[in-house]
Amino acid sequence: ALAQRAGTSRVQKLCLDGNALGGRGADGLAAASKAGELQALEELSLMHCQLGEEHGAALFEALAQRAVASRLRKVYLTGNSLGGQGAGALAAAAKAGALEVLEELWMMDCKLGDEGGAALFEALVFRSRASLRFVMLTNNEFGTRTAGAAAAALQKGMLPALGESWLTRNSFSESEKAQIQAGWDSCAPHPPGKVLKI
């Protein structure tokens, strides 16, 4: 329906939280994106929408195709089982320019996995380094690879605006937590009120 409505290209905020979108809903959003109907979008919220790996991947690939979401500042995807495939597709979208002004990313309880977490951090550094100020990535089964990617990004000062980062309830060892903390501490000063939770 979005792709068929006149004027949807001016939509700046789209919130569909709690709707059982599943595959059909993801396909509809992907079609709207491909048609250029989401090119003004600044905030996208799809929390707890029953999106799985293939659904999320289809949506993010559509965002990447024409970078129609290059103005996207806030993305809320908490509570969807996006998995490694979804994380990889979101990372590809970021590298294609879809998240270059991203400020907030909420992906709690998305089962991204360690490979997905590493890919996501590498992509965020590639595209969103100047703007990203908040990430919520709690409970995503992150481990060694994600810890390395996150620490490397922080140590190199590649996320200078990041003031709040939540990485709790993942599978980091104590040494990996210390690695991330060291990276965080090395890139001071952070914005006022900085928060890192591991």
Side-chain angles (χ1 to χ4, degrees):
L2 271 173
Q4 296 170 353
R5 289 179 55 192
T8 49
S9 60
R10 295 191 295 272
V11 172
Q12 293 180 310
K13 181 177 179 179
L14 182 61
C15 179
L16 298 171
D17 294 348
N19 288 285
L21 299 181
R24 290 188 64 184
D27 288 345
L29 286 168
S33 179
K34 288 178 181 179
E37 297 298 333
L38 300 180
Q39 58 189 334
L41 195 65
E42 295 183 4
E43 185 172 330
L44 176 64
S45 190
L46 302 173
M47 296 194 292
H48 304 286
C49 285
Q50 297 182 20
L51 298 176
E53 291 203 36
E54 293 182 3
H55 309 147
L59 175 60
F60 301 140
E61 285 164 10
L63 291 178
Q65 274 194 7
R66 292 168 55 187
V68 294
S70 60
R71 301 169 76 175
L72 205 54
R73 297 183 181 279
K74 299 179 181 181
V75 176
Y76 304 92
L77 296 168
T78 288
N80 293 294
S81 299
L82 299 174
Q85 186 178 351
L90 180 57
K95 288 185 177 180
L99 301 176
E100 58 189 1
V101 295
L102 187 69
E103 296 174 0
E104 294 185 22
L105 179 64
W106 294 67
M107 295 185 75
M108 180 178 176
D109 300 324
C110 287
K111 300 181 180 179
L112 302 180
D114 198 26
E115 296 280 337
L120 189 56
F121 265 102
E122 289 162 5
L124 291 175
V125 165
F126 183 82
R127 270 291 174 188
S128 307
R129 66 181 68 179
S131 59
L132 189 65
R133 57 184 178 81
F134 181 98
V135 290
M136 169 60 76
L137 296 170
T138 289
N139 194 29
N140 275 299
E141 304 168 6
F142 294 158
T144 303
R145 287 207 58 194
T146 303
L154 292 167
Q155 286 168 352
K156 293 175 183 176
M158 299 178 81
L159 295 169
L162 189 61
E164 192 164 346
S165 181
W166 290 77
L167 299 169
T168 53
R169 290 165 49 205
N170 282 295
S171 300
F172 299 127
S173 66
E174 290 305 311
S175 63
E176 288 162 355
K177 290 179 182 179
Q179 182 184 16
I180 297 170
Q181 185 68 57
W184 179 265
D185 293 341
S186 73
C187 63
H190 289 279
K194 64 178 182 178
V195 175
L196 172 65
K197 297 289 186 180
I198 312 172

